[in-house]
């Protein structure tokens, strides 16, 4: 799968996060990247379908939390390659 510019940007953000920061929710990711709270939703769904991100659960406000997978890191490295 060839990543879009937005997917690459999103995966790069997840790859830079440290484990002690905790997994961000979709709205948190959108906000951190300077977009409206719903921006990451479709991109995360597509990346999850391809195994590049993993859904970990929900926040108290009901947003899903995500982290990058090994496959996601490999796809990101290939894209940067």
């Amino acid at each position: 799968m060839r990543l879009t510019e937005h997917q690459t940007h999103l995966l790069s953000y997840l790859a830079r996060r440290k484990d002690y920061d905790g997994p961000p929710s979709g709205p948190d990711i959108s906000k951190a990247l300077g977009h409206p709270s719903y921006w990451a939703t479709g991109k995360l769904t597509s990346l999850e379908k391809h195994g590049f991100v993993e859904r970990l659960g929900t926040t108290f406000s009901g947003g899903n939390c995500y982290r990058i997978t090994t496959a996601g890191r490999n796809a990101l490295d290939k894209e940067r390659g």
Side-chain angles (χ1 to χ4, degrees):
M1 173 186 162
R2 181 123 173 106
L3 297 173
T4 67
E5 181 180 339
H6 291 300
Q7 289 171 329
T8 301
H9 193 58
L10 194 150
L11 284 177
S12 293
Y13 170 75
L14 289 175
R16 288 190 310 268
R17 288 186 57 89
K18 305 293 182 204
D19 287 338
Y20 58 79
D21 289 336
S25 68
D28 292 338
I29 294 167
S30 296
K31 182 179 176 185
L33 296 176
H35 297 282
S37 62
Y38 56 84
W39 177 83
T41 304
K43 292 152 196 62
L44 287 164
T45 299
S46 176
L47 291 169
E48 183 180 21
K49 180 180 176 182
H50 287 91
F52 297 157
V53 298
E54 178 180 28
R55 190 182 319 187
L56 299 174
T58 58
T59 64
F60 290 116
S61 60
N64 291 312
C65 295
Y66 296 88
R67 74 173 166 208
I68 190 170
T69 63
T70 301
R73 289 183 190 279
N74 292 339
L76 187 57
D77 289 343
K78 183 177 179 182
E79 197 66 32
R80 292 175 177 167

